[in-house]
């Protein structure tokens, strides 16, 4: 199964890029990061439309599409892993995560996604969303493989013992 994160904008060097690359290097097969940039002096709706077209054009053929959007479902890590496992078991060859620019994704683009996921009700900068998506993808893969990386203990669990 192939993994792709398609993201508007270009990385700058720094801690976020290093964190992303750390998780990306752990994946087998390796993750592909495709950065898109709309050319010209665009803004607002025109920019979002140009980014949406570029993101969709970069999706591998037949890939399941996961849109990263604040209006999406707030899934647990285990629920995301289960969905990725279903797609794997159905023979989906690729999964593409779409991360919009500063103004987010178009509703029409989210409607074309197989799944729209939120990282919670808070607003996050889009470069950080890349890292969060990367970590959750890595976590989902470890859950599916039975690796001990994903050990969750809530506050209630700690109080009980």
């Amino acid at each position: 199964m192939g993994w792709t994160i398609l993201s508007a904008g270009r990385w700058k060097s720094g801690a976020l890029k290093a964190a992303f690359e750390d998780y990306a290097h752990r994946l087998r097969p390796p993750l592909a990061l495709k950065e898109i940039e709309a050319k010209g002096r665009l803004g607002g709706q025109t920019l979002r439309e140009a980014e949406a077209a570029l993101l969709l054009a970069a999706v591998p053929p037949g890939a399941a599409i996961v849109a990263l959007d604040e209006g999406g479902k707030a899934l647990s890590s285990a629920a995301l892993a289960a969905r990725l496992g279903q797609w794997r078991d159905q023979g989906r060859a690729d999964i593409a995560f779409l991360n919009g620019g500063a103004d987010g994704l178009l509703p029409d683009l989210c409607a074309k996604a197989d799944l729209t996921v939120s990282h919670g009700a808070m607003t996050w900068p889009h470069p950080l969303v890349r890292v969060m998506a990367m970590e959750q993808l890595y976590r989902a893969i470890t859950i599916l493989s039975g690796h001990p990386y994903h050990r969750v203990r809530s506050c209630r669990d700690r109080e009980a013992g």
Side-chain angles (χ1 to χ4, degrees):
M1 177 170 271
W3 315 103
T4 305
I5 291 183
L6 303 164
S7 190
R10 302 272 180 216
W11 273 121
K12 296 175 178 61
S13 61
L16 291 178
K17 183 176 182 182
F20 181 93
E21 289 174 348
D22 178 54
Y23 286 109
H25 290 304
R26 298 179 194 188
L27 292 181
R28 298 292 175 258
L31 172 106
L33 171 65
K34 295 182 182 178
E35 297 172 309
I36 62 97
E37 263 188 322
K39 301 293 183 192
R41 293 185 164 271
L42 304 175
Q45 184 70 8
T46 305
L47 176 60
R48 290 173 72 199
E49 289 170 358
E51 288 174 345
L54 291 168
L55 287 168
L56 277 177
V59 172
I65 298 173
V66 179
L68 303 172
D69 184 78
E70 65 184 14
K73 295 178 183 174
L75 298 178
S76 68
S77 298
L80 178 61
R83 179 63 67 95
L84 297 180
Q86 288 172 350
W87 287 332
R88 176 200 60 204
D89 296 346
Q90 293 168 354
R92 297 297 284 264
D94 293 293
I95 297 177
F97 291 80
L98 277 56
N99 180 27
D103 293 326
L105 297 172
L106 285 178
D108 289 351
L109 181 58
C110 291
K112 293 177 182 176
D114 296 280
L115 176 66
T116 302
V117 175
S118 169
H119 288 299
M122 294 180 179
T123 302
W124 302 100
H126 65 280
L128 183 56
V129 170
R130 286 186 195 188
V131 177
M132 294 165 67
M134 182 70 251
E135 193 282 337
Q136 285 301 297
L137 174 57
Y138 177 73
R139 183 176 297 274
I141 292 167
T142 62
I143 290 169
L144 291 171
S145 68
H147 188 279
Y149 178 81
H150 180 73
R151 289 188 206 126
V152 175
R153 292 190 57 170
S154 70
C155 293
R156 287 183 296 234
D157 292 341
R158 284 183 222 127
E159 290 170 2

